[in-house]
Amino acid sequence: MTRLASSDIATVVEWLDALDRSLVDATGATLTEIAQYAVGEAVDFHHVKNSVVPITAGQGIIGGFSQTVAGILRHMGVDAFVTSRTDVGGLYEGRMNSSCQFAADDDTFFAVNLENNQVSENGYATGLGFAAALDLAAKGVENKPVLVAGAGPVGLTAADYFASKGAIVTLYDIDASKLEDRPYETTTSIAGRKFSLVLEATTAENVITKDVLTPNAIVSAPGVPLGVEAKLAQELTDSNRLIHNPLELGTAVMMADVLRKQSVYVRISMGATVVEPCMI
Ligand code: 2YC
């Protein structure tokens, strides 16, 4: 899992309205609407009080991280605040003053609904969100080939999502051990193949180059750093065919995921190992 730098998120909150406009251009939906579509429910984010707790464990606080998470949630209509204390003090402060709570250490970024203990984890939510965004941008993926590059928690969740929507999924990873017993095509090489729908969820750079894409391909890229070759990324952005943001969509889906009403499978991916889904 890639650790964000302060510089990756420094302007996120001030650019949220612009992000909505670019998401509408690419998918027809705003950040909030994509999060609702991803969880399959028109979740209401108003009247929700949410605490974000800075965590000093491991490599410690990322400057602006908690404030950026709170800013993304406020953009969705949530009454979100950053606790004045960190770690256990912040968890305690949040439990006394909010109904939902977000916190992240170096390995896990999760949200919990303190009223029903519904949880969501960033890898799962990010995979779901970027897959839903590509689904919307493609106006449906049923019977369409989709390439998922990267078989970590994000890519696995996205591949499962596309398979559930009837897409023809190819899951690509250079590490064959990550490709075992999947109910769709898996491969350690995409040489010579072209795709029109791509989800890039690797931690590598330049995984997606021009020769992998058909002329009007759409790329949804949760991977940090962006795994699309720079000149191609600009070309895709200019024609509203690249969906990429470092924290916004994953955070928005986590919020929707812990607020949704219907009992669903919650898949908790701790690091690279996906724990069995549990009915809540
Ligand atoms: O400021 C804090 O509370 C830090 N403990 C936050 C550390 C987050 C580390 N994780 C990441 O940078 C990325 C995020 C996109 C979420 C998952 N990995």
Side-chain angles (χ1 to χ4, degrees), residues 20-267:
D20 271 343
R21 285 193 294 276
S22 69
L23 286 172
V24 168
D25 288 345
T27 71
T30 63
L31 181 72
T32 301
E33 290 164 343
I34 295 171
Q36 291 170 325
Y37 182 77
V39 301
E41 189 176 317
V43 176
D44 178 11
F45 298 103
H46 297 89
H47 321 299
V48 175
K49 187 131 188 204
N50 184 91
S51 53
V52 183
V53 185
I55 302 296
T56 62
Q59 299 182 59
I61 301 279
I62 296 176
F65 179 83
S66 295
Q67 292 75 6
T68 299
V69 171
I72 294 164
L73 298 177
R74 281 196 288 271
H75 178 75
M76 300 168 72
V78 173
D79 176 6
F81 66 97
V82 177
T83 55
S84 56
R85 296 165 66 190
T86 64
D87 306 300
V88 173
L91 291 169
Y92 174 68
E93 179 185 335
R95 272 158 168 70
M96 307 287 276
N97 299 290
S98 63
S99 57
C100 294
Q101 195 161 61
F102 279 57
D105 67 7
D106 296 344
D107 307 305
T108 304
F109 175 25
F110 87 114
V112 58
N113 182 327
L114 298 172
E115 293 175 345
N116 61 16
N117 206 36
Q118 209 160 288
V119 293
S120 185
E121 186 274 332
N122 182 259
Y124 167 79
T126 299
L128 203 60
F130 279 84
L134 187 57
D135 181 1
L136 287 166
K139 297 183 173 45
V141 293
E142 190 171 11
N143 298 324
K144 294 180 187 174
V146 179
L147 169 67
V148 176
V154 175
L156 284 175
T157 303
D160 287 352
Y161 173 95
F162 289 129
S164 76
K165 295 279 183 171
I168 303 161
V169 180
T170 298
L171 177 63
Y172 161 57
D173 199 292
I174 51 173
D175 178 352
S177 70
K178 291 187 178 176
L179 298 174
E180 279 146 24
D181 60 57
R182 307 301 305 171
Y184 32 72
E185 183 201 359
T186 60
T187 181
T188 56
S189 166
I190 51 172
R193 298 177 66 176
K194 283 188 175 300
F195 296 87
S196 58
L197 297 175
V198 175
L199 188 128
E200 188 279 325
T202 74
T203 53
E205 294 187 319
N206 298 329
V207 171
I208 304 301
T209 55
K210 218 164 173 58
D211 58 354
V212 174
L213 302 182
T214 60
N216 297 314
I218 306 171
V219 178
S220 185
V224 174
L226 176 60
V228 178
E229 185 271 317
K231 192 167 153 301
L232 175 59
Q234 192 54 57
E235 213 178 289
L236 290 166
T237 301
D238 294 345
S239 51
N240 298 318
R241 291 183 289 121
L242 175 63
I243 299 150
H244 175 66
N245 52 80
L247 187 56
E248 300 89 316
L249 191 45
T251 299
V253 174
M254 288 166 76
M255 189 77 260
D257 201 18
V258 297
L259 291 175
R260 59 182 166 178
K261 296 278 180 286
Q262 83 254 16
S263 61
V264 292
Y265 278 108
V266 175
R267 186 180 287 278

